[in-house]
Amino acid sequence: IQLPIVGCLFKKTYFDPIKRKNVSRLVGAKDLVVNYWATSLEAAHRKTEVILMTKNQIQSYKNAGIFLEDVELDEPKLSPDIETRKDVHGSQIPSKVDSSTPYVVLEQHTYWDLDKDGYMEPYIITIEKESKRVLRVVARFDSDGILQDESSNTIICIEPVEYYTKYGFVPNPDGGFYDIGFGQLLGPLNESTNTVVNQLIDAGTF
């Protein structure tokens, strides 16, 4: 239902260290930030997933040894990434900060020359957006993805492990990364129809 309307969705498949099993979950287009002119998901140099995590979830990841234990975070603040609620009149009002207010965590699948050998290896770097503190750095490749020159044992390239699968509806006419759906195609027509109907009613009333 979502794909024809939005036009672009992602599935993230990975091993969950908390549940200790492989999981696959839906990631919306607004929660996975990719260079608009990237030719494909695999060719994108950097992919950043926006994840909302409560204080209790972050502590659980610390206890499991997934996040760094010595990183202390301030109390979470309201962010534009967190949806607001509506009052009785339908106006948007900011939610209150309490124990369930989530942190905005950025999980970035990128490349980084950590060993300073002149070649950038694939890594996953997780930070907390507000404080910009690093929570986790983990390799995004395995031994099977390392291609070496047989004669000199020089690393030619390292193939990263891809966590995301892209599902598109209508390819973007301008060549952009994000595909389009009926929501974008029909949205302007609906607005035009609403305007015409309102004008007809106003004219008739006048």
Side-chain angles (χ1 to χ4, degrees), residues 98-112:
D98 55 22
S99 59
S100 64
T101 300
Y103 291 93
V104 179
V105 176
L106 305 178
E107 182 180 291
Q108 190 171 96
H109 295 233
T110 185
Y111 293 83
W112 186 25

Side-chain angles (χ1 to χ4, degrees), residues 26 38 61 73 112 141 198 205:
L26 186 68
Y61 273 62
L73 300 177
W112 186 25
F141 62 92
N198 290 333
T205 303

Side-chain angles (χ1 to χ4, degrees), residues 44-121:
H45 184 80
R46 181 173 61 241
K47 298 177 281 284
T48 304
E49 182 183 356
V50 181
I51 306 173
L52 301 181
M53 299 184 68
T54 62
K55 190 174 184 179
N56 199 54
Q57 287 176 313
I58 290 181
Q59 187 60 47
S60 178
Y61 273 62
K62 287 184 177 181
N63 295 341
I66 302 169
F67 285 172
L68 294 174
E69 298 181 8
D70 57 349
V71 176
E72 296 296 332
L73 300 177
D74 300 329
E75 290 299 317
K77 299 179 181 179
L78 291 178
S79 168
D81 299 304
I82 302 175
E83 295 182 357
T84 56
R85 58 190 177 89
K86 293 183 178 181
D87 61 12
V88 293
H89 303 292
S91 302
Q92 295 285 346
I93 59 175
S95 303
K96 295 181 179 179
V97 178
D98 55 22
S99 59
S100 64
T101 300
Y103 291 93
V104 179
V105 176
L106 305 178
E107 182 180 291
Q108 190 171 96
H109 295 233
T110 185
Y111 293 83
W112 186 25
D113 187 10
L114 185 61
D115 53 4
K116 304 298 181 182
D117 63 350
Y119 183 84
M120 301 175 70
E121 296 86 8

Side-chain angles (χ1 to χ4, degrees), residues 166-182:
K166 179 185 177 184
Y167 295 89
F169 190 63
V170 178
N172 199 325
D174 65 2
F177 174 78
Y178 294 97
D179 300 319
I180 61 176
F182 287 134

